Amino acid sequence: MKKSLRVLSAVLAGTMLLSTSALACTGVYVGKDVSTDGSYMIARSEDQSNGAYNKMFVVQPRVENVPGRYIEDTATGFKIPLPATTYKYNYVPDYTRGDDGMYPGSCTNEYGVSISATVSTSTCEAWEAEDPFVEPGLREAILAATVAAVSKTAREGVEVLLGYVDDYGSEEGNTVMITDQKEAWIVEIYSGHHYCAMKMPDDQVAVFGNHNMIGLVDPKATPEDGYYYSDGLFETIDKLGLAVKEGEKYHLAKSVCNNTREDYNAMRNWAGMTILAPSKAGDYKSGEFYPLFYTPDEKVSVLTVMDVYRNRLEGTPLDVTLPGQENNRVIGTERSSQIHVLQTFPEWPAECAAIDWICLGNAQHSVFVPHFSGINDTAPAYKVDGEVYDPSGAFWMFKRVCTLAEQNRSLYSKGVMDFWDLQEHIMYDEMMDASKTMQAKYAESRAAGDAYVTELGIQMAEREMGLTDNLYANLLTTMMFNTGRAAGRTLKTFVADVPLRQIAEYKGYSVSWDSGSITVAKGATSYTFTPNDDPAFFYPKGYACTDANGNDVELSTYAYVRDGVTYVPMDFVNKL
């Protein structure tokens, strides 16, 4: 929750849709036993009140034996003291602003602890009146970093976070997820001093919007049972007459929210279920308390989690393209500034236990770029600050493509999504292959491992940024073509161009050069691209394509070279 919106939220206290629309984020969890590669996954979209909101991606180095430091929330002056030694972590902060904090969004530290924070929440008026938020107190603006800097395990991270709430109080309602290589936790902060933390099941998944979700809890449960909760939590529920119980167990979400649900949030619970467990979703029911955790219909890949963040209720009665459904709250909103999927692998070296998939802009028309968590640095474009469009900044590079594609989804969306989908599949395979080298490097030394993953992360990110330059240029050209198209003439549907060598090698083809021609071959199948010498050809640097028998291969557009990369139209991929 952004500080500047707290006043608005108070003014609009009775209008949930208005007060949360600028605060809304969506969380996703996948347990290691139901993921395709045995990893834990926690994820979150950071949704803003507008689409122009620069986020960066940087590394905070380890600090040894420097006492007297603290983390400060610059908007409020609230400070949390730090120990003399703090741990290295990477994080996704806001651009520098004078009126608010850094909002680290997500963190993964050198001990394999990942924190996704936060999904903003609120409770009923009676609850917040009984235990008001504390100002100044702990906010999302610094929360993730304060945990990552000092925690060696997820459980320790939970205890640290809850200790902050006990000692200082919370300024807002939040949901936080914390993982390490052994377990995953969810923390719900309900008010100034009340909370519940729950160990998440290894064999289930969750997708949730901006409301509290923890269900039945036994007031006798202990940390050994997988629960922490604030002193007096259940007594306060009873005092206010809010208790919703089954036997001796309290349904916390129903209790602190006075047994109400808003469509604005519940639609996202249901949308996630239609993707991960369609057999359980049924028809959407307004006011339904959808479960926090459930078993997916099949094991879930990180690529599927990415697609959850692109969902716009397509193919359902709530599809926002249908008349009367335009205002439904989708997961794949245009207002996301960043989305992260933090994927932790139990068997990897702790100092590089995770892959942080970072998507800048909104997921539908942007791309998740992976980094091993052991990195010491990020590509320079991730550090470009400021609130005005800057083509050298990573956020702006990716967001500009989103902005164009969303001007007319029927013409431009599929071409962009197909391009990034292919890149994500390629990068996932590349990371799985690189993980073998990564583990070997860390077996040599920590320094060798850190150096390897840092260089790999920068190279991969800069490659994708180069590709987005070309994607943007071609998409903008298509839009210009359509803008000047005479009335009644057919408009052009955007088809992206892909780098020939990358896609050919991904598909198992060899790539060779001979006197300016390029041949890709696998077995008896081959395609040769030759510079087109016909002076009448409208693009003289284009390439013609023939198959192994010398027959012309029709391409929807020409192949060409730009900045040393040979590009071919996306529909050529189907031939390989």
Side-chain angles (χ1 to χ4, degrees), residues 438-454:
M438 176 271 289
Q439 293 177 73
K441 291 290 186 181
Y442 276 100
E444 293 176 21
S445 69
R446 169 73 177 271
D450 286 357
Y452 171 73
V453 299
T454 299

Side-chain angles (χ1 to χ4, degrees), residues 3 16 45 104 117 147 159 250 317 362 428 472 480 507 549 566:
K3 176 68 177 179
M16 174 67 75
S45 61
V147 174
E159 292 172 349
Y250 288 70
N362 46 296
Y428 178 80
Y472 172 74
M480 290 176 174
K507 296 276 190 175
N549 299 315
T566 302

Side-chain angles (χ1 to χ4, degrees), residues 141-417:
I142 61 171
L143 188 154
T146 63
V147 174
V150 299
S151 302
K152 290 186 176 181
T153 68
R155 191 176 291 253
E156 182 180 9
V158 170
E159 292 172 349
V160 165
L161 173 56
L162 300 183
Y164 292 153
V165 179
D166 288 337
D167 293 343
Y168 305 110
S170 179
E171 193 168 332
E172 56 196 18
N174 281 315
T175 296
V176 180
M177 292 182 286
I178 308 176
T179 59
D180 61 17
Q181 293 179 282
K182 295 182 179 178
E183 57 187 16
W185 288 78
I186 186 169
V187 179
E188 292 187 342
I189 300 172
Y190 302 125
S191 51
H193 303 90
H194 282 303
Y195 53 76
C196 181
M198 174 186 178
K199 185 175 178 290
M200 296 193 282
D202 289 349
D203 60 350
Q204 294 187 305
V205 299
V207 179
F208 52 92
N210 296 91
H211 50 196
N212 297 301
M213 291 289 296
I214 293 178
L216 294 172
V217 176
D218 188 334
K220 299 184 181 66
T222 67
E224 289 71 28
D225 300 320
Y227 291 91
Y228 293 84
Y229 44 82
S230 50
D231 290 342
L233 173 65
F234 301 102
E235 292 81 359
T236 303
I237 292 172
D238 288 339
K239 173 185 174 182
L240 295 175
L242 295 174
V244 178
K245 300 172 68 174
E246 292 185 18
E248 296 301 312
K249 295 183 177 181
Y250 288 70
H251 194 293
L252 290 185
K254 290 182 178 180
S255 297
V256 302
C257 296
N258 199 19
N259 210 10
T260 60
R261 273 294 186 251
E262 298 288 338
D263 289 335
Y264 183 82
N265 298 310
M267 281 183 182
R268 285 177 277 160
N269 299 156
W270 178 77
M273 192 177 289
T274 65
I275 298 170
L276 302 182
S279 67
K280 300 177 177 64
D283 295 332
Y284 176 71
K285 297 179 182 178
S286 184
E288 178 82 1
F289 272 79
Y290 287 99
L292 173 56
F293 299 112
Y294 48 88
T295 302
D297 285 358
E298 57 188 35
K299 289 195 172 186
V300 179
S301 77
V302 68
L303 299 167
T304 301
V305 174
M306 295 172 191
D307 285 342
V308 169
Y309 284 103
R310 297 181 168 110
N311 182 266
R312 294 177 59 79
L313 297 166
E314 300 94 334
T316 78
L318 302 180
D319 191 324
V320 291
T321 64
L322 299 176
Q325 305 300 320
E326 298 87 352
N327 294 323
N328 290 341
R329 175 51 161 100
V330 297
I331 296 174
T333 176
E334 298 92 337
R335 295 180 286 99
S336 296
S337 55
Q338 64 92 7
I339 307 96
H340 55 263
V341 184
L342 310 181
Q343 188 178 19
T344 302
F345 293 81
E347 304 304 322
W348 288 5
E351 55 267 44
C352 192
I355 299 175
D356 290 3
W357 296 86
I358 305 297
C359 175
L360 298 183
N362 46 296
Q364 188 181 26
H365 298 111
S366 187
V367 63
F368 287 83
V369 179
H371 294 76
F372 286 115
S373 58
I375 57 173
N376 287 329
D377 200 1
T378 60
Y382 280 123
K383 304 169 195 173
V384 173
D385 206 340
E387 61 182 330
V388 177
Y389 172 75
D390 183 338
S392 67
F395 171 82
W396 306 107
M397 290 182 194
F398 294 112
K399 182 65 181 183
R400 62 189 178 179
V401 173
C402 302
T403 303
L404 293 186
E406 284 143 18
Q407 301 310 303
N408 188 320
R409 283 188 167 85
S410 65
L411 291 175
Y412 310 129
S413 186
K414 186 177 186 303
V416 173
M417 292 178 68

